[in-house]
Amino acid sequence: MTTETVKYQRKELELKALLEITQAINENKTESVLLNIFKFTCLVHLNIKSMVLYVASGGKFDLRISHNVKGKIPQIIPQDAVVENKALGKLSLTLSEDYSFSEIDIYVPVYHKDKMLAILLLKRKDESSELDLNFTQALTNILVVALENKRFARRQLEEERLRREIEIASNVQRMLFPSKLPQTDNLNAKVTYIPHSTVGGDYYDLIQKSPDEVFFCIADVSGKGMPAALLMSNFQAALRTLLRSSSDLKMIVEQLNFTTFDNTQGERFITFFLGYYNYKTKSLSYVNAGHNPPILCRDDARGEPELLEAGTTILGAFESLPFLETGFRTDLNKFTLHLYTDGLTETMNPADEEYGDEKFTEFIKTNSYDDPTVFHSRFFDELDSYSQGQPKCDDITLLSIKFN
């Protein structure tokens, strides 16, 4: 057989290999099918006896093909364990003594610019027969690019799915909040809610159960994002259900704690404040479950703003609450309550200093008689001035309620 005939036959086999892999890519075959076709074409149409293929992924090389290799080889090779000396044509792999590539004598690197995308390690069937390494490298490159494109498309689909889920969760969360807060002569409420991300873990509510009864609350779930928002959604549904059937704050808080613990098994917790005001008795009762104490300001100049601290520990940390008390304030005619989450007082300035509870209390003292809308406008101007554009670290909620 002449040399020209051998070359022609080799080119014909290479062309078959190229057509088979490109046809599979055009038909959008799965990754496993592409890898099998690549392995088959290399073994049948090219002069290859044994082969190992590693593909780069997230700072490491993953084993994707291993054929006719009896020695123990690693499933993963760290990227920094692979060094190629291009001038000498040598590849150095830093591996433990348990692994060996002694049966392999040729390596084919695949690069994109200066980044190594894959390593094909192989052994020829016949040492005397020629193997076109340039073609083998090109064929491997085609395969690796196809795998990269599939991974990119899969990541895009996953990101789109996640974006839609977040959008749905955000819409659901908006539906949980009151669509409109009362602004009447005897009850004037204002809220400012700034989520840290598209969905947040803060929650507030105001429910006028009857003309003489008003429930209000604020809560903060540990963590951020989707898990916090989903837990808060369940929490809100449970609270609304309980409030329809009872006005017993102690019972409501105990049930909410049990529901939260049952849902999270103690892995997440909720800080929560629940208040109840009765216009007939002019009395306020409340339970503070580990939340930032809301601030009560009486309009009759009876002294300093009061912190509403009585209650219990955070919800969801224990199957049953270790202690629980209900706080009371009586003879309340005209007063304002400011309920907030810790994202407000933990706002940082460029010097990494928190705004803090003391500054907030001082601001309230100076502006205690303001209408809630005016109060919010002035306060968030001050908070923005303090932070000087520093990014927010958490959700921020401020709910102010003025009772007359």
Side-chain angles (χ1 to χ4, degrees):
M1 187 178 296
T2 65
T3 304
E4 290 299 321
T5 302
V6 171
K7 286 183 179 180
Y8 176 79
Q9 288 179 344
R10 191 181 75 236
K11 290 297 179 185
E12 189 175 28
L13 291 173
E14 289 177 353
L15 181 60
K16 285 183 179 179
L18 181 62
L19 288 174
E20 286 178 5
I21 191 68
T22 53
Q23 183 178 1
I25 292 170
N26 291 334
E27 291 175 357
N28 198 28
K29 299 292 187 182
T30 64
E31 288 188 14
S32 60
V33 171
L34 288 181
L35 289 166
N36 283 330
I37 291 174
F38 175 77
K39 181 175 74 172
F40 176 81
T41 54
C42 287
L43 297 174
V44 173
H45 301 315
L46 306 180
N47 183 32
I48 295 175
K49 176 183 178 183
S50 306
M51 62 185 298
V52 177
L53 176 66
Y54 286 93
V55 178
S57 174
K60 62 186 186 307
F61 287 92
D62 294 329
L63 178 64
R64 306 305 297 273
I65 296 175
S66 175
H67 178 80
N68 201 25
V69 177
K70 296 177 182 178
K72 185 180 179 182
I73 59 174
Q75 294 291 316
I76 294 173
I77 301 176
Q79 211 150 18
D80 56 8
V82 179
V83 178
E84 184 193 14
N85 188 325
K86 294 182 180 180
L88 298 177
K90 290 185 177 181
L91 185 72
S92 173
L93 301 176
T94 305
L95 305 171
S96 70
E97 296 179 358
D98 296 337
Y99 302 118
S100 171
F101 289 100
S102 58
E103 301 171 65
I104 302 298
D105 54 11
I106 299 174
Y107 79 93
V108 179
V110 176
Y111 279 93
H112 175 67
K113 296 182 179 179
D114 292 331
K115 181 182 179 183
M116 186 181 286
L117 298 181
I119 312 167
L120 177 64
L121 305 165
L122 52 87
K123 186 177 182 64
R124 288 176 287 185
K125 291 179 183 175
D126 183 357
E127 298 294 332
S128 61
S129 299
E130 187 178 352
L131 175 63
D132 190 338
L133 291 179
N134 289 331
F135 175 80
T136 305
Q137 187 178 46
L139 192 67
T140 309
N141 196 302
I142 291 171
L143 169 72
V144 171
V145 169
L147 295 179
E148 281 288 306
N149 288 339
K150 281 186 171 295
R151 187 158 51 219
F152 178 72
R154 189 166 58 246
R155 187 165 61 246
Q156 280 190 314
L157 287 173
E158 180 65 21
E159 288 174 354
E160 176 63 19
R161 182 188 66 79
L162 182 60
R163 187 191 66 78
R164 289 181 180 177
E165 285 184 358
I166 291 174
E167 185 178 342
I168 292 170
S170 180
N171 291 335
V172 169
Q173 189 175 41
R174 279 196 296 270
M175 293 169 62
L176 298 179
F177 297 132
S179 58
K180 188 177 181 181
L181 292 174
Q183 292 187 338
T184 64
D185 290 340
N186 66 340
L187 184 60
N188 188 351
K190 167 68 177 176
V191 69
T192 300
Y193 170 58
I194 306 172
H196 176 262
S197 56
T198 308
V199 289
D202 284 3
Y203 167 61
Y204 64 90
D205 212 342
L206 189 149
I207 302 161
Q208 198 146 8
K209 194 170 183 179
S210 72
D212 296 319
E213 296 178 294
V214 180
F215 286 93
F216 47 91
C217 71
I218 192 164
D220 185 2
V221 175
S222 62
K224 301 180 183 69
M226 185 77 74
L230 293 176
L231 178 57
M232 192 55 79
S233 300
N234 290 332
F235 184 84
Q236 189 261 11
L239 173 61
R240 286 272 179 152
T241 301
L242 290 166
L243 287 176
R244 277 197 294 268
S245 59
S246 175
S247 298
D248 184 344
L249 299 189
K250 184 176 180 182
M251 184 278 292
I252 291 170
V253 171
E254 286 176 335
Q255 287 298 314
L256 288 173
N257 177 72
F258 176 78
T259 300
T260 304
F261 184 86
D262 191 48
N263 286 337
T264 67
Q265 294 301 304
E267 293 182 2
R268 284 184 177 271
F269 60 85
I270 299 175
T271 66
F272 177 59
F273 178 92
L274 177 63
Y276 165 73
Y277 180 69
N278 189 301
Y279 281 93
K280 282 185 176 180
T281 62
K282 297 182 181 180
S283 62
L284 169 71
S285 55
Y286 66 90
V287 173
N288 188 337
H291 196 80
N292 301 80
I295 300 172
L296 168 66
C297 301
R298 300 173 186 259
D299 285 6
D300 54 5
R302 285 196 188 178
E304 297 290 306
E306 303 174 40
L307 301 181
L308 305 182
E309 299 177 294
T312 183
T313 187
I314 55 178
L315 304 184
F318 305 98
E319 188 170 5
S320 60
L321 294 170
F323 58 90
L324 176 58
E325 63 174 321
T326 304
F328 294 98
R329 294 291 188 276
T330 56
D331 194 24
L332 289 173
N333 190 17
K334 293 183 178 182
F335 66 101
T336 301
L337 281 171
H338 297 290
L339 298 80
Y340 63 99
T341 56
D342 57 10
L344 185 150
T345 52
E346 290 175 1
T347 297
M348 309 291 283
N349 67 8
D352 284 339
E353 298 167 332
E354 290 187 354
Y355 181 75
D357 296 299
E358 290 184 8
K359 283 189 178 66
F360 186 46
T361 304
E362 286 301 317
F363 182 88
I364 289 174
K365 287 179 182 179
T366 308
N367 300 271
S368 58
Y369 297 106
D370 285 347
D371 172 87
T373 300
V374 175
F375 180 90
H376 279 232
S377 177
R378 289 177 177 171
F379 172 71
F380 281 99
D381 283 346
E382 170 165 312
L383 195 66
D384 289 341
S385 176
Y386 180 83
S387 65
Q388 297 182 41
Q390 289 293 104
K392 302 293 188 291
C393 300
D394 200 355
D395 306 320
I396 295 176
T397 304
L398 173 61
L399 173 62
S400 300
I401 312 171
K402 191 176 186 69
F403 294 86
N404 289 317

